[in-house]
PDB file of all heavy atoms in Angstrom:
ATOM      1  N   GLY A 140       6.628 -27.045   2.343  1.00  0.00           N
ATOM      2  CA  GLY A 140       6.775 -26.907   3.781  1.00  0.00           C
ATOM      3  C   GLY A 140       5.449 -26.971   4.488  1.00  0.00           C
ATOM      4  O   GLY A 140       4.378 -26.934   3.886  1.00  0.00           O
ATOM      5  N   PRO A 141       5.467 -27.080   5.798  1.00  0.00           N
ATOM      6  CA  PRO A 141       4.214 -27.133   6.554  1.00  0.00           C
ATOM      7  C   PRO A 141       3.484 -25.810   6.467  1.00  0.00           C
ATOM      8  O   PRO A 141       4.077 -24.754   6.516  1.00  0.00           O
ATOM      9  CB  PRO A 141       4.692 -27.426   7.998  1.00  0.00           C
ATOM     10  CG  PRO A 141       6.102 -26.917   8.030  1.00  0.00           C
ATOM     11  CD  PRO A 141       6.657 -27.124   6.662  1.00  0.00           C
ATOM     12  N   SER A 142       2.208 -25.903   6.328  1.00  0.00           N
ATOM     13  CA  SER A 142       1.402 -24.683   6.266  1.00  0.00           C
ATOM     14  C   SER A 142       1.382 -23.999   7.617  1.00  0.00           C
ATOM     15  O   SER A 142       1.184 -24.636   8.649  1.00  0.00           O
ATOM     16  CB  SER A 142      -0.032 -25.021   5.842  1.00  0.00           C
ATOM     17  OG  SER A 142      -0.608 -25.888   6.779  1.00  0.00           O
ATOM     18  N   GLN A 143       1.604 -22.675   7.640  1.00  0.00           N
ATOM     19  CA  GLN A 143       1.619 -21.935   8.882  1.00  0.00           C
ATOM     20  C   GLN A 143       0.218 -21.533   9.262  1.00  0.00           C
ATOM     21  O   GLN A 143      -0.567 -21.123   8.409  1.00  0.00           O
ATOM     22  CB  GLN A 143       2.496 -20.694   8.740  1.00  0.00           C
ATOM     23  CG  GLN A 143       3.956 -21.042   8.416  1.00  0.00           C
ATOM     24  CD  GLN A 143       4.801 -19.794   8.367  1.00  0.00           C
ATOM     25  OE1 GLN A 143       4.326 -18.721   8.667  1.00  0.00           O
ATOM     26  NE2 GLN A 143       6.059 -19.947   7.997  1.00  0.00           N
ATOM     27  N   PRO A 144      -0.138 -21.650  10.524  1.00  0.00           N
ATOM     28  CA  PRO A 144      -1.503 -21.281  10.934  1.00  0.00           C
ATOM     29  C   PRO A 144      -1.688 -19.792  10.848  1.00  0.00           C
ATOM     30  O   PRO A 144      -0.747 -19.020  11.001  1.00  0.00           O
ATOM     31  CB  PRO A 144      -1.570 -21.778  12.388  1.00  0.00           C
ATOM     32  CG  PRO A 144      -0.136 -21.753  12.846  1.00  0.00           C
ATOM     33  CD  PRO A 144       0.691 -22.104  11.636  1.00  0.00           C
ATOM     34  N   PRO A 145      -2.911 -19.345  10.588  1.00  0.00           N
ATOM     35  CA  PRO A 145      -3.175 -17.903  10.558  1.00  0.00           C
ATOM     36  C   PRO A 145      -3.063 -17.316  11.949  1.00  0.00           C
ATOM     37  O   PRO A 145      -3.077 -18.027  12.948  1.00  0.00           O
ATOM     38  CB  PRO A 145      -4.629 -17.835  10.038  1.00  0.00           C
ATOM     39  CG  PRO A 145      -5.216 -19.154  10.417  1.00  0.00           C
ATOM     40  CD  PRO A 145      -4.092 -20.147  10.346  1.00  0.00           C
ATOM     41  N   PRO A 175      -5.131 -20.474  17.648  1.00  0.00           N
ATOM     42  CA  PRO A 175      -5.025 -20.685  16.209  1.00  0.00           C
ATOM     43  C   PRO A 175      -5.494 -22.071  15.832  1.00  0.00           C
ATOM     44  O   PRO A 175      -5.411 -23.025  16.607  1.00  0.00           O
ATOM     45  CB  PRO A 175      -3.511 -20.513  15.953  1.00  0.00           C
ATOM     46  CG  PRO A 175      -2.871 -20.808  17.269  1.00  0.00           C
ATOM     47  CD  PRO A 175      -3.844 -20.351  18.309  1.00  0.00           C
ATOM     48  N   PRO A 176      -6.057 -22.238  14.616  1.00  0.00           N
ATOM     49  CA  PRO A 176      -6.536 -23.551  14.187  1.00  0.00           C
ATOM     50  C   PRO A 176      -5.395 -24.526  14.024  1.00  0.00           C
ATOM     51  O   PRO A 176      -4.251 -24.155  13.783  1.00  0.00           O
ATOM     52  CB  PRO A 176      -7.215 -23.238  12.839  1.00  0.00           C
ATOM     53  CG  PRO A 176      -6.533 -22.003  12.365  1.00  0.00           C
ATOM     54  CD  PRO A 176      -6.217 -21.218  13.608  1.00  0.00           C
ATOM     55  N   GLN A 177      -5.716 -25.812  14.149  1.00  0.00           N
ATOM     56  CA  GLN A 177      -4.710 -26.852  14.011  1.00  0.00           C
ATOM     57  C   GLN A 177      -4.322 -26.987  12.548  1.00  0.00           C
ATOM     58  O   GLN A 177      -5.116 -26.794  11.645  1.00  0.00           O
ATOM     59  CB  GLN A 177      -5.256 -28.197  14.538  1.00  0.00           C
ATOM     60  CG  GLN A 177      -5.608 -28.159  16.001  1.00  0.00           C
ATOM     61  CD  GLN A 177      -4.400 -27.985  16.878  1.00  0.00           C
ATOM     62  OE1 GLN A 177      -3.315 -28.392  16.508  1.00  0.00           O
ATOM     63  NE2 GLN A 177      -4.573 -27.382  18.036  1.00  0.00           N
ATOM     64  N   GLU A 178      -3.070 -27.351  12.335  1.00  0.00           N
ATOM     65  CA  GLU A 178      -2.610 -27.539  10.972  1.00  0.00           C
ATOM     66  C   GLU A 178      -3.255 -28.790  10.391  1.00  0.00           C
ATOM     67  O   GLU A 178      -3.332 -29.839  11.006  1.00  0.00           O
ATOM     68  CB  GLU A 178      -1.092 -27.675  10.949  1.00  0.00           C
ATOM     69  CG  GLU A 178      -0.385 -26.408  11.432  1.00  0.00           C
ATOM     70  CD  GLU A 178       1.114 -26.545  11.325  1.00  0.00           C
ATOM     71  OE1 GLU A 178       1.540 -27.604  10.847  1.00  0.00           O
ATOM     72  OE2 GLU A 178       1.826 -25.625  11.714  1.00  0.00           O
ATOM     73  N   GLN A 179      -3.726 -28.651   9.150  1.00  0.00           N
ATOM     74  CA  GLN A 179      -4.358 -29.779   8.477  1.00  0.00           C
ATOM     75  C   GLN A 179      -3.491 -30.327   7.354  1.00  0.00           C
ATOM     76  O   GLN A 179      -3.521 -31.498   7.053  1.00  0.00           O
ATOM     77  CB  GLN A 179      -5.711 -29.358   7.914  1.00  0.00           C
ATOM     78  CG  GLN A 179      -6.692 -28.943   9.019  1.00  0.00           C
ATOM     79  CD  GLN A 179      -8.022 -28.516   8.450  1.00  0.00           C
ATOM     80  OE1 GLN A 179      -8.200 -28.501   7.232  1.00  0.00           O
ATOM     81  NE2 GLN A 179      -8.954 -28.188   9.305  1.00  0.00           N
ATOM     82  N   SER A 180      -2.764 -29.424   6.711  1.00  0.00           N
ATOM     83  CA  SER A 180      -1.955 -29.872   5.591  1.00  0.00           C
ATOM     84  C   SER A 180      -0.631 -30.405   6.095  1.00  0.00           C
ATOM     85  O   SER A 180      -0.057 -29.900   7.038  1.00  0.00           O
ATOM     86  CB  SER A 180      -1.745 -28.726   4.610  1.00  0.00           C
ATOM     87  OG  SER A 180      -1.071 -27.667   5.246  1.00  0.00           O
ATOM     88  N   GLN A 181      -0.131 -31.447   5.465  1.00  0.00           N
ATOM     89  CA  GLN A 181       1.134 -32.052   5.815  1.00  0.00           C
ATOM     90  C   GLN A 181       2.108 -31.826   4.672  1.00  0.00           C
ATOM     91  O   GLN A 181       1.712 -31.651   3.517  1.00  0.00           O
ATOM     92  CB  GLN A 181       0.961 -33.560   6.062  1.00  0.00           C
ATOM     93  CG  GLN A 181       0.054 -33.870   7.239  1.00  0.00           C
ATOM     94  CD  GLN A 181       0.624 -33.411   8.548  1.00  0.00           C
ATOM     95  OE1 GLN A 181       1.830 -33.291   8.692  1.00  0.00           O
ATOM     96  NE2 GLN A 181      -0.223 -33.130   9.516  1.00  0.00           N
ATOM     97  N   PRO A 182       3.398 -31.819   4.969  1.00  0.00           N
ATOM     98  CA  PRO A 182       4.382 -31.645   3.897  1.00  0.00           C
ATOM     99  C   PRO A 182       4.272 -32.764   2.883  1.00  0.00           C
ATOM    100  O   PRO A 182       4.087 -33.934   3.219  1.00  0.00           O
ATOM    101  CB  PRO A 182       5.725 -31.675   4.636  1.00  0.00           C
ATOM    102  CG  PRO A 182       5.396 -31.358   6.056  1.00  0.00           C
ATOM    103  CD  PRO A 182       4.016 -31.883   6.292  1.00  0.00           C
ATOM    104  N   HIS A 183       4.352 -32.410   1.615  1.00  0.00           N
ATOM    105  CA  HIS A 183       4.273 -33.404   0.564  1.00  0.00           C
ATOM    106  C   HIS A 183       5.075 -32.898  -0.621  1.00  0.00           C
ATOM    107  O   HIS A 183       5.305 -31.714  -0.793  1.00  0.00           O
ATOM    108  CB  HIS A 183       2.836 -33.672   0.152  1.00  0.00           C
ATOM    109  CG  HIS A 183       2.138 -32.468  -0.375  1.00  0.00           C
ATOM    110  ND1 HIS A 183       1.610 -31.513   0.485  1.00  0.00           N
ATOM    111  CD2 HIS A 183       1.935 -32.022  -1.635  1.00  0.00           C
ATOM    112  CE1 HIS A 183       1.085 -30.552  -0.221  1.00  0.00           C
ATOM    113  NE2 HIS A 183       1.262 -30.816  -1.518  1.00  0.00           N
TER     114      HIS A 183
END
Side-chain angles (χ1 to χ4, degrees):
S142 61
Q143 299 183 6
Q177 298 293 332
E178 296 183 2
Q179 297 179 358
S180 61
Q181 297 295 334
H183 61 280

